[in-house]
């Protein structure tokens, strides 16, 4: 006697378990922004319990979509150099969150990079022409970003990690760097620290100036110093007068400052406080664990994917979204 194949779990099964309509399940899969958050959570729990897997091939044929979003990475040869410690963990966390968020809605993530000598925009051209992706995630946007201009002119769905310019489409998700740095400053004030040296990255990247502006809101008298390398930070801290706190705009600068202080026989966390920003994996594993702001990569990735779905479905009239990096207090401050 032939063994019957197990019946495939359907949208109707998920709807029945979740106590909602099949249309609601479809919206949770394809446009979760149209459904209340409690309902989204209920439906996703039912999907997990039943082990439901969307039929990608059928959905792609019926919708004319690839069920894939693109994540182009334009990586220079020195991207993972010692000047960028922790970047690998940052990209891994973002990618992992994006893949997980996409999988719930039956989407995949296509990670790619331009070939040698090609531009990122040339890569966009290829992805669009081949219909390989339904939307593109753009990383590290700048004001008047030519990538945003290109995608807008092509009317191709995209979402940016980083704010777009005021005259550009506002389909972005970003860290609320200013508010997050205010949180660090307020914590330092509450512990009685008044004399601050701010260690800034010498860069035109928007987040550098947003974080500095946030700190100076609470510490307008802070001594701001800008550096283009880890070596320059180490050399400065090795000779600097001792403030109450060194506030770095990234974890790498904070760690270098801590090491320079320790070489001088100064106890970090007692004699001088040190703070960072990002909460790279190494921050909690130091001899003196680092107080820092944790960028919630999984939350950001989920917001990026949900916004990409809005763009794909034509809901393009929403503003950008800021996500706060919560303070993680450890021994260094």
């Amino acid at each position: 006697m032939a063994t019957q194949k197990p019946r495939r779990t359907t949208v109707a099964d998920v709807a029945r378990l979740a106590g909602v309509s099949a249309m609601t399940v479809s919206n949770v899969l394809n446009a979760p922004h149209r459904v209340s958050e409690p309902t989204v959570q209920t439906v996703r729990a039912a999907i997990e319990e039943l082990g439901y897997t969307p039929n990608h091939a059928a959905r792609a044929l019926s919708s004319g979509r690839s069920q894939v979003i693109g994540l182009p990475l334009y990586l220079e040869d020195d991207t993972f150099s010692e000047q960028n410690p922790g970047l690998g963990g940052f990209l891994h966390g973002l990618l992992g969150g994006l893949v997980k968020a996409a999988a719930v809605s039956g989407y995949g993530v296509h990670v790619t990079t331009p070939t040698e000598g090609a531009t990122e925009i040339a890569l966009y051209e290829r992805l669009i022409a081949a219909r390989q992706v339904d939307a593109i995630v753009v990383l590290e946007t700048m004001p008047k970003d030519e990538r945003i201009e290109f995608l807008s002119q092509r009317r191709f769905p995209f979402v940016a990690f980083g704010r777009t310019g005021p005259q550009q489409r506002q389909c972005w998700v970003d860290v609320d760097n200013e508010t997050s740095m205010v949180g660090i400053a307020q914590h330092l004030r509450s512990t009685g620290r008044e004399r601050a040296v701010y260690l800034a990255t010498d860069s035109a990247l928007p987040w550098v100036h947003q974080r500095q502006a946030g700190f100076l809101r609470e510490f307008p008298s802070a001594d701001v110093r800008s550096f283009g390398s880890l070596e320059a930070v180490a050399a400065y801290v090795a000779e600097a007068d001792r403030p109450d706190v060194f506030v770095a705009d990234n974890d790498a600068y904070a760690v270098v400052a801590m090491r320079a202080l320790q070489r001088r026989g100064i106890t970090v966390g007692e004699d001088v406080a040190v703070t960072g920003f990002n909460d790279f994996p190494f921050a909690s594993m130091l001899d003196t664990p680092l107080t820092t702001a944790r960028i919630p990569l999984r939350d950001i990735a989920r917001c990026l994917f949900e916004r990409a779905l809005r763009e794909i479905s034509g809901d393009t009239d929403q503003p950008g979204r800021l996500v706060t990096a919560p303070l993680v207090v450890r021994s260094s401050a």
Side-chain angles (χ1 to χ4, degrees), residues 19-42:
V20 298
S21 68
M23 178 59 73
T24 297
V25 175
S26 178
N27 278 333
V28 169
L29 291 171
N30 299 299
H33 55 280
R34 296 176 179 171
V35 185
S36 69
E37 186 60 28
T39 301
V40 169
Q41 296 304 322
T42 298

Side-chain angles (χ1 to χ4, degrees), residues 208-232:
V208 170
H209 304 286
Q210 293 158 6
R211 292 178 191 177
Q212 182 174 318
F215 189 74
L216 291 179
R217 274 172 51 186
E218 293 292 316
F219 271 86
S221 62
D223 181 6
V224 178
R225 304 281 176 151
S226 295
F227 304 94
S229 69
L230 300 178
E231 293 79 10

Side-chain angles (χ1 to χ4, degrees), residues 1 3 5 26 39 59 64 84 110 179 198 202 230 240 260 273 297 308:
M1 182 176 176
T3 304
K5 290 184 179 180
S26 178
T39 301
R59 289 173 65 187
N84 295 283
H110 178 48
T179 299
Y198 188 86
D202 186 7
L230 300 178
L297 292 173

Side-chain angles (χ1 to χ4, degrees), residues 4 10 20 30 41 73 76 90 151 181 188 214 217-218 235 242 245 247 251 257 276 287 307 332:
Q4 266 193 330
T10 67
V20 298
N30 299 299
Q41 296 304 322
L73 299 177
E76 301 286 356
F90 182 89
L151 291 169
M181 190 59 89
L188 295 172
R217 274 172 51 186
E218 293 292 316
R242 196 167 77 188
V245 58
V247 177
D251 287 349
D287 291 339
R307 186 55 191 263
S332 73

Side-chain angles (χ1 to χ4, degrees), residues 11-332:
V11 166
D13 296 325
V14 175
R16 195 159 35 248
L17 180 59
V20 298
S21 68
M23 178 59 73
T24 297
V25 175
S26 178
N27 278 333
V28 169
L29 291 171
N30 299 299
H33 55 280
R34 296 176 179 171
V35 185
S36 69
E37 186 60 28
T39 301
V40 169
Q41 296 304 322
T42 298
V43 171
R44 286 178 175 169
I47 289 171
E48 180 118 7
E49 182 176 335
L50 293 173
Y52 171 69
T53 304
N55 188 329
H56 305 316
R59 289 173 65 187
L61 282 172
S62 64
S63 66
R65 295 173 182 163
S66 67
Q67 302 298 129
V68 174
I69 61 171
L71 180 64
L73 299 177
Y74 189 65
L75 303 177
E76 301 286 356
D77 290 340
D78 63 348
T79 294
F80 297 101
S81 73
E82 63 177 13
Q83 299 300 331
N84 295 283
L87 183 58
F90 182 89
L91 291 175
H92 181 270
L94 181 66
L95 177 58
L98 199 58
V99 168
K100 185 174 182 180
V104 172
S105 293
Y107 263 77
V109 179
H110 178 48
V111 182
T112 184
T113 189
T115 55
E116 187 174 355
T119 65
E120 193 169 340
I121 287 179
L123 175 59
Y124 292 177
E125 286 271 24
R126 181 163 57 81
L127 291 173
I128 295 170
R131 299 183 180 179
Q132 289 180 276
V133 299
D134 297 331
I136 289 174
V137 179
V138 185
L139 301 181
E140 287 194 325
T141 55
M142 297 287 287
K144 299 181 180 178
D145 197 305
E146 62 179 3
R147 298 169 299 172
I148 303 301
E149 294 289 350
F150 169 79
L151 291 169
S152 297
Q153 289 172 5
R154 291 296 299 267
R155 299 184 181 275
F156 192 80
F158 72 89
V159 60
F161 184 13
R163 278 159 263 195
T164 57
Q167 304 305 316
Q168 295 175 327
R169 291 176 56 205
Q170 299 300 297
C171 43
W172 54 262
V173 179
D174 197 16
V175 178
D176 191 344
N177 290 291
E178 190 165 336
T179 299
S180 302
M181 190 59 89
V182 166
I184 291 176
Q186 290 175 339
H187 167 70
L188 295 172
R189 287 282 195 203
S190 73
T191 58
R193 287 157 176 117
E194 296 293 336
R195 293 180 300 110
V197 172
Y198 188 86
L199 308 176
T201 303
D202 186 7
S203 170
L205 289 170
W207 62 261
V208 170
H209 304 286
Q210 293 158 6
R211 292 178 191 177
Q212 182 174 318
F215 189 74
L216 291 179
R217 274 172 51 186
E218 293 292 316
F219 271 86
S221 62
D223 181 6
V224 178
R225 304 281 176 151
S226 295
F227 304 94
S229 69
L230 300 178
E231 293 79 10
V233 174
Y236 170 75
V237 176
E239 302 291 338
D241 291 337
R242 196 167 77 188
D244 293 337
V245 58
F246 284 102
V247 177
D249 68 10
N250 66 84
D251 287 349
Y253 279 14
V255 171
V256 168
M258 290 169 67
R259 288 175 178 167
L261 291 169
Q262 288 161 352
R263 292 191 192 99
R264 294 173 61 181
I266 296 171
T267 303
V268 175
E270 295 180 15
D271 301 332
V272 178
V274 177
T275 66
F277 202 110
N278 287 331
D279 198 28
F280 285 147
F282 58 72
S284 64
M285 298 184 287
L286 303 168
D287 291 339
T288 303
L290 179 64
T291 293
T292 186
R294 174 179 295 156
I295 295 180
L297 292 173
R298 293 300 174 95
D299 292 343
I300 288 170
R302 177 178 51 80
C303 292
L304 284 168
F305 178 71
E306 290 178 356
R307 186 55 191 263
L309 285 185
R310 286 179 184 269
E311 295 296 311
I312 292 167
S313 63
D315 296 339
T316 60
D317 59 346
Q318 299 295 315
R321 179 169 179 178
L322 290 173
V323 179
T324 302
L327 176 66
V328 182
V329 178
R330 300 192 182 105
S331 305
S332 73

